[in-house]
Amino acid sequence: GVGGVIKMVQAMRHGVLPRTLHANERSPHIDWSAGELSLLTEAQPWEGPMRAGVSSFGVSGTNAHVIIEGAAQVEALPTPETTTPVPWVLSAKSEQALKDQAARLKAVEGAPLDIGFSLATTRAALEYRAVVIGQDIDGFRRGLDAVAEGQGITGRAEPRGKT
């Protein structure tokens, strides 16, 4: 079942109807002249709506069927322009690791607002910390340069539970 779903998703992604497997002859129990049903003997371009049914018949009697439909093509949303300063929060286990993280972040491409959100919500708050504030990618790169070279203002947080 899962293999069939993966196959259909990939077929939709590539816009190709895969050939029918393990069926070399048409069944005499099907009226092939009624409608547009056919046996695909070779892959062909997918025309029309991208919709497919995948069935799975388990050995233990479990039967499942799912209908998959391809998403409509949409244009990417424009990246919001930042008009207010955005913080990029950095943290690491050591001062050198903090400098290394700042150096790596200089190569990151993307919207500053999105990067700032990801840094603030997906990274652990470790002992050595720095915050770079900017409005555009050039401003962030200057701040990251300062942290990477040890010239920025960084801090060290005490672990919880210690006084």
Side-chain angles (χ1 to χ4, degrees):
V2 173
V5 170
I6 293 170
K7 180 179 177 178
M8 275 302 109
V9 168
Q10 290 298 328
M12 289 177 178
R13 177 179 286 165
H14 296 287
V16 175
L17 286 168
R19 72 180 185 86
T20 304
L21 297 178
H22 314 298
N24 299 324
E25 297 179 14
R26 291 179 170 193
S27 170
H29 304 289
I30 296 175
D31 180 5
W32 294 95
S33 63
E36 297 182 28
L37 186 64
S38 65
L39 189 64
L40 294 178
T41 57
E42 60 185 54
Q44 66 184 37
W46 196 317
E47 296 176 5
M50 289 198 172
R51 189 175 304 120
V54 178
S55 296
S56 176
F57 305 101
V59 176
S60 66
T62 303
N63 299 330
H65 184 76
V66 66
I67 298 172
I68 303 170
E69 185 168 2
Q73 296 293 331
V74 295
E75 291 185 30
L77 296 173
T79 303
E81 294 296 323
T82 305
T83 56
T84 59
V86 174
W88 282 12
V89 181
L90 291 73
S91 72
K93 288 185 177 183
S94 70
E95 187 174 351
Q96 185 58 49
L98 187 66
K99 291 177 183 180
D100 293 344
Q101 183 188 20
R104 283 190 308 272
L105 276 170
K106 289 190 311 183
V108 171
E109 299 286 331
L113 186 61
D114 293 340
I115 296 167
F117 177 81
S118 295
L119 287 169
T121 60
T122 64
R123 305 269 311 174
L126 301 173
E127 186 175 355
Y128 290 84
R129 300 177 189 173
V131 176
V132 175
I133 298 175
Q135 289 180 279
D136 59 22
I137 202 69
D138 291 330
F140 285 106
R141 287 192 176 128
R142 284 191 299 274
L144 292 168
D145 278 335
V147 173
E149 295 168 8
Q151 299 172 357
I153 299 172
T154 60
R156 183 173 178 196
E158 288 293 325
R160 290 186 184 185
K162 291 190 176 183
T163 55

